[in-house]
Amino acid sequence: MELIAGSYEQITFGYRVKTDEKEWTAKANFTHHAHTASVSAVATSERFVVTGSKDETIQLYDMKKRIEHGALLHHDGSITCLEFYGSSHLLSGGEDGLLCVWSTKKWECLKSIKAHKGHVTSMSVHPSGKLALSVGTDKTLRTWNLVNGRSAFIKNIKQNAHIVRWSPDGDKYVVVVNDRVNVYDLQTASVTATITNPKRISSVSFLNNSILAVAGDDETVRLCDVTTEKWLCEFKAHETRVKAVDSLMMEDYCVLVTASNDGFIKMWKLHLKEELESPTLLGEVNTAARLTCLAVWKPSSGQQISEEPATEATTSEDLVQELSKTKRVRISAEEVVLEDESKPKKKKKKKKKDGGK
């Protein structure tokens, strides 16, 4: 696996991790200096690493060939969030209020949606690949039906949220406003729990369907249970504020990855059992840069594709009903159809020209 981190210094770092049982070592593998401003977002698929920046571009790096793969130019403003779904599509959000859907085959923009009146601050794709959530500076939470590419629901949340994340099973999602995490139920779309962090939250990551890792504007990472609303444990992760957290599951334990303003990326081993103990440090690497964002790249990080046929549900209500019933619905991202989210435009009738006869 590799650790990918973006920085204020415009550089994206890639570190290959050697995983021994006791200690993990990270060695510099590549640096990608394609941006002309700080890196604001990073995402990984099986083949590519993509980074977004305040320079308004999305830069591509091919992990297979280990070369730069060009840039995506569509947004008119800083790129705020990036997320792959499957290995075939990429979603991007920006300060221009746009949510763009890209095909990873030819890297063309299949769809550009004016998602929010202000900035798009965060987005998250449902594990099924059928729904996406976005939040923005227009104080709304929006649900997008990716089957037909249309807006499904708009919820006025009365404050500007800056993070939204689906749980791994897709039956709930969290919305972060400043220092507060609101947990929503998929079916009712109502808040089922609220957790307040001592500091403004900078990043969150689900370790499993109930445990959420929360990083804020301090050196501490805290773990909470989103079902019981209880803090489970906390530990000092860095010397300065933690900017980003990510995680991955190994066979019998979880690895939590943290990145900080202090330049360090750290890997922590955590056993997800009833009585959570503070994680132990597996390994660390000093990038000597001020880190802004983080992603873990692994060769099999693409979404699993199930053998189940795609269901017929296309209306948003049907989708929510269907996704609520099944624990994990996974479909091939290739099957996602994207149409115009606006109302069908009436075609103007062309006047027949006389042939002059």
Side-chain angles (χ1 to χ4, degrees):
M1 63 175 234
E2 293 200 22
L3 306 175
I4 316 291
S7 66
Y8 282 112
E9 287 81 2
Q10 309 171 4
I11 296 169
T12 304
F13 298 91
Y15 290 88
R16 179 160 284 177
V17 179
K18 194 178 173 189
T19 57
D20 290 328
E21 276 190 26
K22 289 184 180 176
E23 191 183 4
W24 288 20
T25 51
K27 287 191 175 174
N29 193 21
F30 72 88
T31 53
H32 188 207
H33 192 175
H35 291 291
T36 56
S38 61
V39 182
S40 50
V42 61
T44 62
S45 72
E46 218 165 310
R47 175 80 184 265
F48 294 99
V49 165
V50 295
T51 53
S53 166
K54 289 191 161 59
D55 67 9
E56 306 183 359
T57 70
I58 299 166
Q59 298 286 342
L60 311 173
Y61 187 81
D62 188 325
M63 292 295 280
K64 196 174 176 183
K65 295 180 181 174
R66 301 279 158 178
I67 53 167
E68 292 182 15
H69 196 73
L72 306 179
L73 312 172
H74 189 86
H75 287 280
D76 185 19
S78 297
I79 310 301
T80 54
C81 44
L82 295 165
E83 188 174 341
F84 282 95
Y85 57 106
S87 55
S88 60
H89 293 84
L90 171 74
L91 273 177
S92 64
E95 287 189 355
D96 53 6
L98 294 181
L99 207 55
C100 297
V101 182
W102 305 85
S103 159
T104 62
K105 280 186 178 172
K106 295 181 181 175
W107 288 108
E108 56 192 347
C109 184
L110 299 174
K111 188 167 190 61
S112 180
I113 303 165
K114 180 66 177 167
H116 291 271
K117 284 174 185 168
H119 305 169
V120 177
T121 50
S122 181
M123 64 171 174
S124 184
V125 178
H126 190 271
S128 67
K130 292 183 177 185
L131 291 176
L133 295 169
S134 67
V135 288
T137 54
D138 57 1
K139 300 180 181 178
T140 64
L141 164 70
R142 294 175 187 247
T143 309
W144 303 94
N145 181 337
L146 294 178
V147 177
N148 60 20
R150 293 178 184 166
S151 173
F153 305 109
I154 301 170
K155 192 175 179 73
N156 185 356
I157 51 177
K158 297 182 175 121
Q159 281 177 300
N160 290 331
H162 61 283
I163 302 171
V164 63
R165 289 285 177 275
W166 284 105
S167 68
D169 286 354
D171 60 340
K172 56 174 128 356
Y173 50 94
V174 294
V175 174
V176 178
V177 179
N178 295 321
D179 60 353
R180 200 173 71 246
V181 180
N182 285 325
V183 185
Y184 286 80
D185 176 71
L186 165 68
Q187 203 157 14
T188 62
S190 58
V191 177
T192 57
T194 300
I195 300 134
T196 305
N197 196 53
K199 299 276 184 178
R200 186 182 189 274
I201 296 165
S202 55
S203 182
V204 297
S205 179
F206 272 101
L207 307 188
N208 61 20
N209 209 51
S210 58
I211 299 174
L212 186 74
V214 180
D217 284 348
D218 60 3
E219 61 279 1
T220 306
V221 172
R222 296 171 178 87
L223 306 179
C224 70
D225 189 318
V226 296
T227 49
T228 62
E229 299 182 80
K230 286 181 180 172
W231 290 106
L232 303 172
C233 80
E234 62 177 62
F235 64 100
K236 183 185 175 184
H238 292 269
E239 292 305 314
T240 58
R241 62 190 176 134
V242 183
K243 287 290 289 182
V245 289
D246 201 355
S247 60
L248 69 150
M249 282 305 297
M250 301 303 283
E251 280 181 20
D252 58 344
Y253 60 92
C254 175
V255 175
L256 185 63
V257 186
T258 59
S260 163
N261 265 10
D262 64 11
F264 278 88
I265 304 172
K266 296 188 182 184
M267 297 165 284
W268 307 86
K269 185 177 184 177
L270 183 67
H271 289 282
L272 299 179
K273 47 191 181 185
E274 283 189 27
E275 286 298 315
L276 267 192
E277 292 164 11
S278 287
T280 52
L281 187 64
L282 274 170
E284 63 183 23
V285 62
N286 186 2
T287 66
R290 292 171 299 155
L291 301 177
T292 54
C293 49
L294 172 74
V296 178
W297 177 82
K298 40 196 184 301
S300 59
S301 62
Q303 279 186 339
Q304 300 159 19
I305 294 164
S306 74
E307 297 301 313
E308 297 166 38
T311 48
E312 297 300 311
T314 52
T315 71
S316 306
E317 287 82 357
D318 288 350
L319 261 180
V320 169
Q321 286 289 335
E322 170 208 315
L323 295 174
S324 302
K325 283 176 206 160
T326 48
K327 266 284 182 181
R328 279 176 186 268
V329 189
R330 299 215 182 257
I331 60 160
S332 164
E334 299 288 350
E335 290 166 353
V336 174
V337 181
L338 294 146
E339 298 163 0
D340 193 5
E341 82 283 359
S342 57
K343 287 175 184 171
K345 288 173 185 172
K346 287 180 181 176
K347 288 182 180 177
K348 288 180 182 175
K349 287 182 181 176
K350 287 182 181 177
K351 289 179 181 176
K352 286 183 182 177
K353 287 181 182 176
D354 290 322
K357 285 176 185 177

